[in-house]
Amino acid sequence: DIQMTQSPSSLSASVGDRVTITCRASQDISNYLNWYQHKPGKAPKRLIYAASSLQSGVPSRFSGSGSGTDFTLTINSLQPEDFATYYCQQSYRTPYTFGLGTKLEI
Amino acid sequence: QLQLQESGPGLVKPSETLSLTCTVSGGSISSDNFYWGWIRQPPGKGLEWIGSIYYSGSTYYNPSLKSRITISVDTSKNQFSLKVNSVTAADTAVYYCARLYSSGWSFDPWGQGTLVTVSS
C-alpha cells in the first residue's frame, strides 16, 4: 500500500495567518493527490483534487501544489470557518489511502 | 445538489454482520462517470477506504477487508450497500459513503457518516 505521511499532525494559528500542510507519499503518485476538510459531525468536503485543482465553490485562499511524492496545501488569510481537520488522499493506486490528518486549531 | 445519506443499525454484536445503506438523492446512481464508495474512520484513527462499486455492479475492495465485505448496488432505489461479516470491536467506526470520480478517483460529496459500534 502507498503510505501517506502528513505533517504537522496539529497546528495552531490565528485568523489572517497563512498556513501550509505537507503530505508525502511513499512512492511517486504523479498528481493523484486530493485534499479534504473535515469538521466534527459534518461530511468531509473535497477542497483540492489532482494536486492543484480547486473544487468549485471553495474559496481561492485554498491552494494545492506538488507532484511525485511531495505535496502541500496552503491556506492564505485564515478565516474562522477554516479551523478543521485536513486530510490528503492518494488516488494513484488502490487501496486508496489517506494521511492521518492535520488538526488546525485557533 | 447531490446528497448521500448513510443508514443502518448503530450497534452490532461481535461476530455478526454489519449492514449499511447509502441513499443517493439529487442525482442518479447510474452515471457513467462515477463510482460509489465506502470509507470508515475508527475512533481516534485515520480514514480507511473500504471499497467501491459501479452502477453495473462491478466492485473493487481494500485487500485488508476483502474477505469480509460485500458492496452491492440497487439502481431502482438509487442506493448502494455495505456488508461486513464477522465483525469485531476493531470494526467500530464512523462509516461514510461517498461518490467517487472515475477521473482522478477523488471522493465528493460525502455523506455525514454514521457511527457503528460493535459490542455485546
Side-chain angles (χ1 to χ4, degrees):
Chain A
D1 298 2
I2 298 174
Q3 305 303 315
M4 304 303 295
T5 303
Q6 245 182 280
S7 61
S9 57
S10 64
L11 178 58
S12 294
S14 301
V15 172
D17 285 354
R18 178 176 183 264
V19 299
T20 298
I21 298 169
T22 297
C23 187
R24 174 166 289 177
S26 60
Q27 66 180 77
D28 188 337
I29 59 171
S30 185
N31 69 334
Y32 286 83
L33 191 284
N34 311 297
W35 290 98
Y36 302 90
Q37 177 192 67
H38 192 198
K39 297 179 180 179
K42 303 275 191 170
K45 176 183 174 183
R46 186 177 70 167
L47 298 175
I48 302 285
Y49 59 96
S52 60
S53 295
L54 188 67
Q55 169 74 13
S56 174
V58 173
S60 59
R61 62 181 179 271
F62 290 90
S63 65
S65 65
S67 182
T69 60
D70 294 316
F71 303 85
T72 58
L73 172 69
T74 300
I75 313 172
N76 288 302
S77 188
L78 273 173
Q79 298 301 300
E81 60 268 28
D82 299 337
F83 292 93
T85 300
Y86 294 85
Y87 295 93
C88 61
Q89 174 235 336
Q90 67 82 16
S91 54
Y92 181 76
R93 177 176 294 149
T94 60
Y96 306 124
T97 47
F98 295 81
L100 290 180
T102 295
K103 187 173 184 179
L104 180 54
E105 300 174 300
I106 301 173
Chain B
Q1 179 184 355
L2 192 81
Q3 292 185 312
L4 294 89
Q5 180 66 57
E6 305 88 352
S7 60
L11 181 64
V12 181
K13 290 182 168 56
S15 80
E16 295 189 346
T17 297
L18 179 162
S19 297
L20 295 174
T21 295
C22 182
T23 300
V24 179
S25 59
S28 175
I29 203 169
S30 302
S31 174
D32 289 345
N33 299 322
F34 305 107
Y35 281 65
W36 306 89
W38 289 98
I39 304 106
R40 70 180 184 179
Q41 184 172 34
K45 296 189 177 181
L47 293 160
E48 179 182 36
W49 170 71
I50 299 170
S52 296
I53 190 165
Y54 195 54
Y55 74 90
S56 64
S58 174
T59 55
Y60 55 115
Y61 300 144
N62 191 323
S64 69
L65 297 165
K66 187 175 182 178
S67 64
R68 296 194 297 126
I69 62 173
T70 302
I71 298 176
S72 58
V73 64
D74 187 335
T75 55
S76 67
K77 294 182 179 179
N78 229 32
Q79 294 176 333
F80 61 107
S81 299
L82 169 71
K83 291 187 186 298
V84 183
N85 300 321
S86 305
V87 296
T88 69
D91 294 307
T92 294
V94 176
Y95 285 77
Y96 298 96
C97 59
R99 183 177 64 175
L100 178 62
Y101 282 69
S102 61
S103 170
W105 307 108
S106 61
F107 296 97
D108 180 73
W110 298 52
Q112 281 202 298
T114 186
L115 174 63
V116 179
T117 301
V118 178
S119 174
S120 56

